[in-house]
Amino acid sequence: FHLASLSSVAYSFQNPREVLLTNLGAAVNVLEAVRQVAPAARVLVVGSAEQYGNVPEAEQPIRETQPCRPASPYAVSKVAQEHLALQYARAFGLHVVATRSFNHSGPGQSDRFVLPSFARQVALAERGAQAPVLRVGNLDVGRDFLDVRDVVRAYVQLAEQGEPGTAYNVCRGEAPRVRDLLDALLRLAAVPLRVETDPARARPADLPVLRGDPSRLRERTGWQPAIPLTATLHDILDDWRRRTSEGGAA
């Protein structure tokens, strides 16, 4: 299961060379190791919905047949990684399956990502470790979120049942606005918070909506998401309450 990469879109704009070299180089290392040492192994290479770029809403939900028009250095790196992975399947007969994974979150995720960033700020405000102000970026984008535990099940099922040389969307098929997810999280907070937009959290090129079609994954494996986003948000907030209690503001 190859997931190792630099995965922050914002970071990729700041450090494009590092992201491109790291993400493609890591994939080469894994694929070459399999080819030379364990050619019978099954390999799942995890990509991103960011590979699709800015798809008009009229063309969504996005199917795997949609052309990739990456809009960030991170997305470019994942397109290149997928092409390389599927080329290894064609050229060497390796059992390689790729995913185009849409947004996912859950307890344990870094606060460099949007929902844990919100939850960490809520947890700190509840403890009085920061002012009751939650700083945010663009809240009007729509994103297709899954709980990470549902994503893990999808990866296992694709490793077992996925067709070699094929890419699969891993998504829910819905794209709530980030603003709505934030509102749901704020309803779980123990203190009232004020929301302020922080221009530093905005991305140079943010996609308005990303909503995927999981039909290929579902038809191949029978997978279905099992965890509602309300439960995911609750678990993320509880995780950050624990982390900030154990480790202060770290």
Side-chain angles (χ1 to χ4, degrees), residues 155-212:
Y155 290 171
V156 171
Q157 289 179 245
L158 281 172
E160 293 174 344
Q161 304 172 47
E163 182 179 355
T166 304
Y168 294 85
N169 287 339
V170 178
C171 58
R172 188 184 298 272
E174 304 169 2
R177 292 187 309 164
V178 172
R179 182 183 304 279
D180 297 330
L181 298 175
L182 173 60
D183 288 344
L185 189 64
L186 290 175
R187 287 193 290 272
L188 298 173
V191 296
L193 289 103
R194 186 173 73 257
V195 176
E196 291 185 356
T197 301
D198 180 358
R201 295 173 184 260
R203 295 176 178 176
D206 221 347
L207 311 178
V209 177
L210 269 178
R211 179 164 69 96

Side-chain angles (χ1 to χ4, degrees), residues 98-111:
T99 76
R100 297 171 185 170
S101 302
F102 285 66
N103 292 68
H104 46 280
S105 192
Q109 190 177 32
S110 164
D111 66 340

Side-chain angles (χ1 to χ4, degrees), residues 147-158:
D147 189 286
V148 67
R149 292 159 287 194
D150 280 333
V151 174
V152 167
R153 286 194 303 106
Y155 290 171
V156 171
Q157 289 179 245
L158 281 172

Side-chain angles (χ1 to χ4, degrees), residues 86-102:
L86 300 187
Q87 183 266 324
Y88 267 73
R90 292 189 295 269
F92 304 115
L94 300 185
H95 193 295
V96 180
V97 174
T99 76
R100 297 171 185 170
S101 302
F102 285 66

